[in-house]
Amino acid sequence: MTKRKPKKDASITIHMPADHKEQLSSLAEMLRAGQGASEYVYENLIKPHLLKLKAETKIKQKIFGLTENDKNAELQVDLCERTETQDIKKA
C-alpha cells in the first residue's frame, strides 16, 4: 500500500506580510480555536462579499429586467448592425 502525499497548502495568506498574517491568525483564534488565518479571511471576508455581490446582481437583474438571454441578444444585435465600412475605418 502506498502512502498518499499531503495536499499542497492553498493558503490565501501565503504571500501576505508576516505581521498581517499574525494579526489575522490571532483574530481567527479568538473566534474559533484551531482556525487559521486563511480560513478566517475566507469565511469572514470573502464569503460574505461574494454573497453580497450575488444579491446585488439579482436586484439589478430584477430592476432592469435583464437575463443572460437578453444580454446575449443585445450583443448579437450590436454585432449585426456593424457594417464593413465601419470596420475598415476602425482599422
Side-chain angles (χ1 to χ4, degrees):
M1 192 182 253
T2 60
K3 278 190 170 182
R4 295 180 85 184
K5 292 182 181 179
K7 292 182 180 181
K8 291 186 178 180
D9 185 16
S11 177
I12 296 169
T13 58
I14 201 158
H15 298 291
M16 188 176 283
D19 60 329
H20 292 137
K21 189 171 181 176
E22 288 171 12
Q23 285 178 329
L24 289 169
S25 293
S26 65
L27 286 171
E29 193 66 31
M30 283 190 279
L31 286 178
R32 189 173 78 216
Q35 183 180 35
S38 292
E39 191 177 0
Y40 174 82
V41 169
Y42 178 75
E43 288 185 5
N44 295 295
L45 302 175
I46 294 173
K47 201 171 177 183
H49 182 69
L50 291 176
L51 293 173
K52 180 182 171 190
L53 288 175
K54 188 176 181 181
E56 287 176 0
T57 302
K58 283 184 180 181
I59 290 169
K60 288 177 183 176
Q61 286 175 339
K62 285 184 181 181
I63 291 172
F64 299 110
L66 294 176
T67 63
E68 284 299 317
N69 292 335
D70 294 337
K71 292 177 188 176
N72 291 336
E74 288 175 14
L75 179 62
Q76 289 173 353
V77 169
D78 289 343
L79 293 175
C80 292
E81 291 177 354
R82 291 173 46 184
T83 62
E84 289 180 6
T85 54
Q86 288 174 335
D87 290 341
I88 293 171
K89 287 178 184 178
K90 288 182 181 178

